Amino acid sequence: VQLQASGGGLVQAGGSLRLSCAAAGRTFSNNYMGWFRQAPGKEREFVSSISWRGDRTSYADPVKGRFTISRDNAKNTVYLRMNSLSPEDTAVYYCAAHRSGSVDYISSYNYWGQGTLVTVSS
């Protein structure tokens, strides 16, 4: 089972990126999915989650109104659209499949992708 995150890169402040997380080996269409990020020297933190049907989403306060999570179950892929990026968004972004518990807890997820680096320059 693999979760492959992609779409990271270097972008100027104010710019946008779209991250993708493709699942292989099994379907996650019945799972909540989440995005987390880990900035240099900091702990991994919750960014966003989406229900299996895509009708329920949640966002961490720092990204509300700027980031949008979505999914395409036919493609077994989850996306994170990031707008109005700032240097504070620089981090490795991880996608994960939810198992149980609160969607903003790292321990609630049991499958993790390898991460994709987002660097926002000022």
Side-chain angles (χ1 to χ4, degrees):
V1 177
Q2 284 188 326
L3 293 175
Q4 182 73 37
S6 62
L10 175 63
V11 63
Q12 289 188 331
S16 299
L17 283 174
R18 189 182 78 159
L19 307 183
S20 299
C21 174
R26 60 159 283 184
T27 179
F28 290 99
S29 60
N30 293 324
N31 292 73
Y32 272 69
M33 299 293 292
W35 285 96
F36 289 75
R37 67 185 182 184
Q38 188 166 15
K42 295 186 177 180
E43 294 185 350
R44 193 170 300 189
E45 64 178 6
F46 170 76
V47 174
S48 182
S49 68
I50 187 167
S51 62
W52 67 273
R53 286 194 300 184
D55 57 342
R56 295 182 180 181
T57 59
S58 63
Y59 298 92
D61 285 344
V63 308
K64 281 181 180 177
R66 300 187 298 122
F67 291 11
T68 303
I69 191 170
S70 61
R71 67 189 298 164
D72 184 338
N73 287 337
K75 296 182 178 179
N76 224 13
T77 301
V78 179
Y79 305 96
L80 185 69
R81 176 68 179 182
M82 306 185 296
N83 295 329
S84 302
L85 285 163
S86 72
E88 289 70 33
D89 296 314
T90 294
V92 177
Y93 284 72
Y94 299 90
C95 61
H98 180 263
R99 176 181 57 187
S100 63
S102 297
V103 294
D104 55 342
Y105 285 6
I106 292 173
S107 60
S108 298
Y109 295 77
N110 58 342
Y111 289 106
W112 290 84
Q114 86 290 356
T116 185
L117 176 62
V118 172
T119 304
V120 185
S121 63
S122 58

